[in-house]
Amino acid sequence: MLDVAKAAHVSVATVSAVINGSAPVSPELRNRIEQAIGLIGYKRNAIARSLKLGTTRTVGLMVADITNPFFTDVVAVIQDVLHRAGYAVMLCCNDEDVALQDEQIALLIDRSVDGLIIAPAGDDETLKRMIASANLPTVLIDRLCDGIDTDAVVLDNRRAVQDATIYMLGLGHRRIGYISGSLDTSTGRERLAGYRAALEAAGLPCEEDLIRIGNFREKDAYTAALQLLTSPERPTAIFSANNLMVIGGDEGDPGYRPSLPGRRFGRKLRRFSLGGRLPAASDDDRPAGPGDRRTGRTARARPPFRRQPGSAAKARAPGKTGNPRLLPAGRQPGAARDRLT
């Protein structure tokens, strides 16, 4: 910086004001300094600057699964917002692994990030201690973590799954299989609670043999779907607790090929027809949006599931043998041409 000041015939303080934007500088002096910077090839030392100012202008972002399109969307939005605010993003993925999560959070703290945005892998005592001792601004996304008192942005998971299950019940299904996410996460527990609540409200028992754990993974959901669909009394519909498990569950329908492509309705629900025989739906994670509501310090997005007539999507209901069959319009319980929006 001293060399730039000598070349521009100004003080070091004036050069610093131009580089850091810390004080107004006349256009003439600014032009001279910028020319000197280009001539000398000066580059600001970010490490030295962060030590002097006590900030790195960097936010640590940890997601649960970088291969999940939901989290890639979240990363893109967060990066865009932080970039406009003058911050960079240091991205990590815990891969649904608590031990890896602890290691990476320690790394982010060691790199002196100014704040943390975390989608936690599960209730983790080590994570709680690290966040408490680091004393950094922290926001949880998609999931909550018991014992961490901080801001959070999450979906109203219970309500979303309850509404979607009620919709499937309205189509006439009574044996609805459920592929759950990891119950070590708040999303897994809340979504399963929504499924149970819908059955209870309809006066139906919650049959434990219809519930399988898919851990929010395609591979595990594939195994779970195989177990459900090869059971003596197979379900007539399957609800998967996130988008990736719908794909895995779709592949788990033995002997059939999908007759319809997956349809994504906004970011709220994904619905598939498995081999033209078995409907499947998922509660698709999404960031909080304009319809958010605040519950304490937690922003919860409430996706409004509603019926809209006019879609070409057909309802499916169980036949007399217990196997799914397609019902023509006008003969189904529920709405034959409805869709979820």
Side-chain angles (χ1 to χ4, degrees):
M1 194 178 293
L2 180 61
D3 292 339
V4 174
K6 288 180 179 179
H9 303 288
V10 297
S11 68
V12 173
T14 304
V15 175
S16 176
V18 170
I19 293 174
N20 298 314
S22 56
V25 178
S26 70
E28 179 188 354
L29 286 180
R30 179 179 293 276
N31 184 54
R32 280 163 51 187
I33 291 170
E34 289 175 348
Q35 287 181 355
I37 288 173
L39 180 65
I40 294 173
Y42 169 81
K43 294 186 182 298
R44 184 169 59 186
N45 189 319
I47 296 176
R49 182 173 182 269
S50 66
L51 289 173
K52 181 178 180 180
L53 300 179
T55 176
T56 60
R57 305 293 292 178
T58 304
V59 173
L61 171 59
M62 172 168 288
V63 298
D65 183 357
I66 198 62
T67 67
N68 188 327
F70 162 67
F71 282 114
T72 55
D73 287 348
V74 168
V75 170
V77 171
I78 290 176
Q79 179 175 269
D80 178 61
V81 172
L82 288 175
H83 175 72
R84 287 189 271 115
Y87 284 83
V89 174
M90 186 175 292
L91 176 64
C92 294
C93 174
N94 59 41
D95 203 31
E96 304 285 6
D97 185 324
V98 170
L100 180 60
Q101 170 177 273
D102 295 343
E103 178 184 327
Q104 292 183 337
I105 290 295
L107 171 66
L108 292 173
I109 294 173
D110 188 55
R111 295 297 176 92
S112 300
V113 295
D114 295 333
L116 294 167
I117 302 174
I118 305 171
D123 294 332
D124 178 8
E125 292 298 327
T126 303
L127 176 63
K128 298 173 190 176
R129 290 195 298 270
M130 285 193 293
I131 290 177
S133 61
N135 195 29
L136 289 173
T138 301
V139 176
L140 301 182
I141 56 172
D142 185 54
R143 302 154 178 201
L144 300 175
C145 189
D146 290 342
I148 297 181
D149 182 22
T150 189
D151 293 333
V153 182
V154 298
L155 182 73
D156 190 344
N157 292 283
R158 180 184 173 111
R159 170 68 182 274
V161 174
Q162 184 173 354
D163 285 354
T165 305
I166 288 172
Y167 177 85
M168 299 175 84
L169 290 169
L171 297 180
H173 297 285
R174 293 299 178 266
R175 288 185 56 80
I176 300 173
Y178 184 82
I179 302 180
S180 173
S182 169
L183 299 183
D184 290 333
T185 64
S186 64
T187 48
R189 295 190 296 270
E190 290 173 1
R191 293 175 187 183
L192 178 57
Y195 166 79
R196 293 182 185 276
L199 295 178
E200 182 180 354
L204 296 173
C206 182
E207 301 180 48
E208 296 301 322
D209 62 330
L210 290 176
I211 299 173
R212 293 291 185 273
I213 304 299
N215 293 313
F216 296 128
R217 301 286 197 181
E218 284 187 47
K219 183 177 179 180
D220 292 344
Y222 172 83
T223 301
L226 277 178
Q227 293 172 349
L228 288 170
L229 295 170
T230 57
S231 62
E233 294 185 69
R234 59 181 259 165
T236 63
I238 292 177
F239 189 97
S240 294
N242 86 332
N243 49 353
L244 293 184
M245 292 196 298
V246 165
I247 298 172
D250 179 50
E251 295 171 348
D253 191 1
Y256 300 112
R257 304 294 293 178
S259 64
L260 292 175
R263 291 177 178 159
R264 185 167 182 158
F265 300 103
R267 290 188 177 185
K268 306 175 186 71
L269 193 83
R270 176 172 285 184
R271 178 179 176 143
F272 283 78
S273 169
L274 303 187
R277 291 171 175 265
L278 189 64
S282 83
D283 177 37
D284 192 7
D285 301 320
R286 71 180 185 92
D292 299 346
R293 61 184 176 88
R294 298 292 293 183
T295 304
R297 303 174 66 189
T298 301
R300 293 183 181 271
R302 295 182 61 175
F305 294 103
R306 64 180 185 274
R307 293 177 176 174
Q308 263 188 8
S311 168
K314 295 181 174 61
R316 290 159 176 80
K320 294 180 180 179
T321 62
N323 292 322
R325 64 183 177 85
L326 182 65
L327 291 179
R331 292 183 54 197
Q332 81 293 346
R337 301 179 54 141
D338 290 349
R339 67 186 177 94
L340 296 185
T341 61

